[in-house]
Amino acid sequence: MDSATKDEVQPSLPPGSSCPGPEWPEQERAEQLARGAALKWASGIFYRPEQLARLGQYRSREVQRTCSLEARIKSVVQSYLEGVKTGVWQLAQASEAVQGAREALGQAHGLLQGMEETTQTLKPLREQVAQHKQLQVLSQLLPRLWAVPAAVAHTQTLIDAQRLLEAYVCLRELEQLQEETWAPLEGLELPVFEGLGPLAEALGRAVETVAGAAGQLAREDPALLVAAVRVAEVDAGYMASLELAPRDWRQRCLQALQEGLERTHFGTPLLPEPGALAGWLEALRVALPAELAIAEALVAPCCPPHYKVVQLWAHTLHSGLRRCLQQLLEGPGLGAADAFTLLHWALHVYLGPEMMGSLELGPEADVSQLEPLLTLENIEQLEATFVAQTQANVTQWLQRALDGEVAEWNREQEPGTDSSGFYHSPMPAIVLQILEENIRVTSLVSESLQQRVHGMALSELGTFLRSSSVSGLQPEGAASGALAPVGTALDELQRRICRLVLEALLAELQPLFAALPSRRWLSSPELLDDVCERTARFCQEFRRVRNPAAQLLLAEAERMVVLQYLRALMQGRLVCRGAHERTQVAERLQHDAAQLRELFLGLGLEESVQCAPVLLALRDLLNLRDPMLLGLEVAGLRQKFPDVSEDHISALLDLRGDVSREQRLAALSSLQAGPQPSPSAGHRALFSLVPAPTPALSSCLPSGPCA
């Protein structure tokens, strides 16, 4: 398409419709976009030659469309102009109204400035009017105000007469009259009402006094108690309805109930004196359930349900008793009896069926969930006090009993015997009975106290004479070794007593053993016959002693005789001069061992505990024919008697009289070279209790003790 054609298809605007140049950049840009779109459309439509025939149609249609758009634009612009005209008119009207209001306000301001001066001149008049109104109210209330002092005095008289409900009605009437004067007088307090505050306080104290004696009044004058409670409740409701500051008469009433109850049972003057605790606790055992029964039967019906009187009574009694016991424990120390009584009462009686756990009391009286009367520290303190004082008493009693027993046995007459003819003393049975009774009684309190007393009893028995009934003190379920320390201590004590008893026999036998061994001893049994005769005569007295003490005395006597025999052999008084004498010594040892065996068997000593077989072992050592075999014999002796030493072996070899230095050293070396005896063999000490002369250095091993 050529340029002439393009110019020809450009749409033409009708006359008068040309738009002026753009007044802002956005309009210019919009026109450019519109022209570009029109050119693009025209290029697409008239791209083919056959479309040029319809050019006139397109031109007329575009002219119609342009005219339509111009008409619509004119209509919109005309409408907009009419709206602007209306707005301008309204603004003009508003400006006139604002100007009028400004002028009116200026006039009002001027009038107000004038009225302020007028108001200042009317202020005295206004005060006169207020005073007139107050005088008018006072003139109307004057008859009632004149009666106020008399009404106050009458109300006080009612309070003194404990006519509390009437007094409260009068007080409320006076307070209402006072309230009626407040509004007209603008809160002015008249002097005539100055007595209402003390009057109300007096009535509150009267209510407290009556509530503090609730238990007594519930029995003697329940109407007075009901009146006091009703006054407190009515006043609490009245003050709450008027949103006034409460007088707390209800709270004061409840507090008075608690304080009166505590004062009755746990006042400071009622704390028991030392030694009177049991009686005081017994009185509480009777009084507290009775007090709860009174509260449930008499006091509770006089009070509203929300007071929960029985629960209040139970908790108050519990807390008061707990505080009283704490004060008691902080005071002077309690004795053993008081400590035991308090522990048993607090742990068992108080919550038991005789007191707070009684089935006759309702669930409101339950105090089991409250703090216990005694804390763990209190229980520990009381148990320690009881155990310490009981131990001191037991120690003193045992010492007195032992002193009396010693005096009894030191009398000239023969000791008493039992039905079987044995020497008998009731003291061990009495001691055990007392200790058992202490342990049994503590089981009524707690297991911890029983264990403490049990340990104390065992400790005290460690210093006293052993009895075969000690095992009866061992509680069921206790460890089998619980009595071991006591058994060890008392066994040692019993052996010491045996040694004291045998000192007299030792004094008789020592002169006889001084002549042993000797040539006379080799040729005649007279020396040992004298020993056996005196021993038998002395031990005959043991038949009055019960087993196992009799067996212990016989065993210690036999052991003492054997030890004296060994001591004599080790002194080096005899040295064999040949094989014949060695044979005689061996035969004498065998004879003497048999004689001692028969002696103590006849006295009743069991053969298994006898020490005389050691003489047979020495006989084998002395009767050995070949000195070269002494090492084997010495090793065997060491296995049987582990406490034999080199000094003892040297003394026995000296007794043989035929051992050379080399043979002696060889025999002594077998003590160390041979197998060492087991320490748990259970052998009784013999050689370790027998002193032996120190051998010459030439007879000692280089590593031996004598070297």
Side-chain angles (χ1 to χ4, degrees):
M1 181 183 297
D2 54 11
S3 59
T5 306
K6 292 181 180 179
D7 293 339
E8 201 173 22
V9 298
Q10 290 290 339
S12 62
L13 296 175
S17 62
S18 60
C19 295
E23 297 179 359
W24 52 82
E26 289 79 3
Q27 182 179 359
E28 182 180 0
R29 185 170 180 272
E31 289 180 356
Q32 291 176 357
L33 293 174
R35 290 180 181 276
L39 289 174
K40 184 177 180 181
W41 173 80
S43 298
I45 292 296
F46 301 109
Y47 181 74
R48 290 180 294 178
E50 60 269 16
Q51 296 289 342
L52 295 176
R54 301 174 62 183
L55 179 60
Q57 297 178 4
Y58 285 116
R59 178 178 297 172
S60 61
R61 187 170 61 187
E62 290 300 325
V63 170
Q64 293 176 0
R65 181 182 297 174
T66 301
C67 293
S68 175
L69 289 174
E70 288 178 350
R72 290 170 64 185
I73 291 172
K74 289 179 180 180
S75 176
V76 171
V77 170
Q78 185 66 31
S79 176
Y80 174 74
L81 291 175
E82 290 177 358
V84 170
K85 182 179 179 181
T86 302
V88 171
W89 181 81
Q90 290 178 349
L91 286 174
Q93 294 295 324
S95 176
E96 293 177 359
V98 169
Q99 184 64 28
R102 181 182 294 121
E103 293 175 356
L105 287 174
Q107 295 175 1
H109 181 68
L111 292 175
L112 287 175
Q113 289 180 345
M115 291 179 65
E116 183 177 358
E117 297 176 358
T118 306
T119 302
Q120 293 296 330
T121 59
L122 293 177
K123 185 176 181 180
L125 181 60
R126 187 182 297 110
E127 294 177 354
Q128 292 292 331
V129 172
Q131 293 178 1
H132 177 73
K133 291 181 178 179
Q134 293 177 356
L135 291 175
Q136 184 180 7
V137 172
L138 290 177
S139 63
Q140 295 175 355
L141 298 176
L142 188 60
R144 297 171 63 187
L145 294 176
W146 277 110
V148 167
V152 171
H154 177 65
T155 304
Q156 184 64 51
T157 303
L158 294 176
I159 294 173
D160 296 338
Q162 294 187 332
R163 297 163 61 181
L164 302 182
L165 285 175
E166 298 178 43
Y168 182 72
V169 171
C170 294
L171 176 64
R172 288 302 311 137
E173 292 176 352
L174 291 172
E175 290 177 341
Q176 289 176 358
L177 178 60
Q178 184 183 28
E179 293 170 2
E180 292 177 7
T181 63
W182 277 347
L185 298 181
E186 299 180 354
L188 179 64
E189 186 71 32
L190 297 178
V192 72
F193 293 112
E194 292 179 352
L196 291 188
L199 186 65
E201 182 62 25
L203 181 57
R205 288 196 301 269
V207 170
E208 285 187 68
T209 302
V210 172
Q216 178 181 357
L217 291 176
R219 295 188 298 267
E220 300 175 358
D221 191 0
L224 179 58
L225 176 61
V226 172
V229 174
R230 288 186 62 187
V231 167
E233 288 298 306
V234 171
D235 185 74
Y238 177 78
M239 302 299 283
S241 64
L242 297 182
E243 299 182 356
L244 299 175
R247 282 190 280 238
D248 292 335
W249 283 2
R250 175 191 291 169
Q251 189 63 31
R252 291 169 64 180
C253 181
L254 290 172
Q255 186 174 356
L257 287 173
Q258 295 175 300
E259 292 176 353
L261 189 60
E262 291 186 6
R263 186 170 53 252
T264 301
H265 295 282
F266 310 114
T268 303
L270 296 179
L271 285 175
E273 298 295 330
L277 181 62
W280 183 68
L281 293 177
E282 177 61 23
L284 289 178
R285 186 192 67 79
V286 177
L288 297 190
E291 189 70 47
L292 289 174
I294 292 175
E296 185 175 5
L298 301 178
V299 180
C302 299
C303 301
H306 63 267
Y307 274 39
K308 298 181 179 180
V309 170
V310 178
Q311 183 179 3
L312 177 68
W313 244 241
H315 290 194
T316 302
L317 292 174
H318 180 83
S319 60
L321 177 59
R322 188 174 187 273
R323 184 174 59 255
C324 187
L325 293 182
Q326 295 298 323
Q327 295 175 357
L328 180 65
L329 293 176
E330 293 173 359
L334 299 177
D338 286 344
F340 177 86
T341 301
L342 181 55
L343 280 171
H344 180 262
W345 192 89
L347 297 179
H348 298 283
V349 177
Y350 178 68
L351 295 177
E354 298 180 357
M355 283 194 69
M356 310 305 285
S358 175
L359 297 178
E360 298 179 358
L361 300 177
E364 293 183 352
D366 183 22
V367 296
S368 61
Q369 303 302 320
L370 301 181
E371 292 182 323
L373 291 180
L374 299 178
T375 64
L376 295 178
E377 292 78 8
N378 297 148
I379 296 174
E380 174 71 19
Q381 174 188 349
L382 290 172
E383 287 186 357
T385 299
F386 175 77
V387 173
Q389 297 192 15
T390 301
Q391 184 172 8
N393 295 337
V394 168
T395 301
Q396 295 177 2
W397 188 89
L398 290 178
Q399 186 60 44
R400 289 196 300 267
L402 188 58
D403 294 341
E405 190 73 6
V406 171
E408 180 71 19
W409 282 77
N410 285 334
R411 294 190 307 172
E412 295 296 332
Q413 64 185 24
E414 184 177 351
T417 59
D418 59 10
S419 58
S420 301
F422 295 102
Y423 289 137
H424 173 69
S425 172
M427 185 180 64
I430 295 175
V431 169
L432 291 175
Q433 182 179 359
I434 291 176
L435 296 178
E436 288 175 352
E437 183 64 21
N438 282 326
I439 295 173
R440 186 192 64 80
V441 168
T442 54
S443 65
L444 301 176
V445 175
S446 65
E447 184 178 355
S448 61
L449 181 60
Q450 186 180 19
Q451 291 296 329
R452 284 170 176 254
V453 175
H454 179 260
M456 178 274 295
L458 294 181
S459 174
E460 289 302 312
L461 280 180
T463 60
F464 204 71
L465 181 64
R466 177 174 172 79
S467 170
S468 59
S469 300
V470 172
S471 60
L473 289 175
Q474 183 169 351
E476 295 182 5
S480 59
L483 296 177
V486 177
T488 301
L490 295 182
D491 282 341
E492 178 60 27
L493 179 62
Q494 196 169 19
R495 293 186 184 279
R496 288 175 57 192
I497 294 175
C498 289
R499 288 195 292 271
L500 291 175
V501 172
L502 296 176
E503 282 182 357
L505 176 60
L506 179 61
E508 291 187 30
L509 297 183
Q510 280 181 338
L512 299 179
F513 282 108
L516 186 152
S518 61
R519 298 291 187 283
R520 177 188 172 193
W521 168 67
L522 289 176
S523 60
S524 174
E526 293 179 1
L527 289 177
L528 193 64
D529 289 344
D530 291 343
V531 170
C532 292
E533 180 183 353
R534 297 190 184 191
T535 302
R537 184 173 62 251
F538 187 88
C539 292
Q540 286 297 324
E541 299 296 331
F542 297 165
R543 72 182 187 278
R544 300 290 188 92
V545 181
R546 288 184 178 274
N547 287 325
Q551 284 291 313
L552 180 60
L553 285 170
L554 288 173
E556 290 297 320
E558 192 262 352
R559 183 165 174 255
M560 185 196 70
V561 172
V562 173
L563 288 176
Q564 292 301 314
Y565 198 109
L566 293 176
R567 184 189 296 267
L569 288 178
M570 299 299 168
Q571 297 305 312
R573 299 191 186 104
L574 177 66
V575 177
C576 296
R577 294 179 291 193
H580 177 66
E581 284 192 358
R582 285 193 294 276
T583 302
Q584 284 184 303
V585 171
E587 292 176 353
R588 176 53 57 196
L589 288 174
Q590 182 177 4
H591 178 272
D592 292 349
Q595 189 172 358
L596 291 175
R597 172 180 173 275
E598 294 299 328
L599 168 65
F600 283 97
L601 282 176
L603 292 173
L605 180 64
E606 298 177 0
E607 186 175 1
S608 60
V609 299
Q610 293 187 14
C611 299
V614 68
L615 302 181
L616 299 179
L618 299 183
R619 179 207 64 179
D620 296 338
L621 179 64
L622 296 174
N623 197 33
L624 186 64
R625 300 293 182 180
D626 186 0
M628 300 300 295
L629 300 178
L630 284 174
L632 294 176
E633 196 65 36
V634 169
L637 181 64
R638 178 65 178 275
Q639 289 296 319
K640 295 179 180 178
F641 304 97
D643 59 342
V644 68
S645 66
E646 292 182 10
D647 294 346
H648 296 118
I649 298 300
S650 296
L652 293 174
L653 296 180
D654 289 340
L655 180 59
R656 280 183 60 94
D658 65 339
V659 180
S660 64
R661 182 175 181 277
E662 291 75 11
Q663 292 172 343
R664 180 188 299 271
L665 293 177
L668 293 177
S669 64
S670 65
L671 289 176
Q672 298 180 0
Q676 297 298 317
S678 173
S680 60
H683 299 288
R684 295 178 64 187
L686 285 176
F687 287 96
S688 59
L689 302 177
V690 177
T694 303
L697 292 178
S698 60
S699 303
C700 293
L701 290 172
S703 61
C706 61

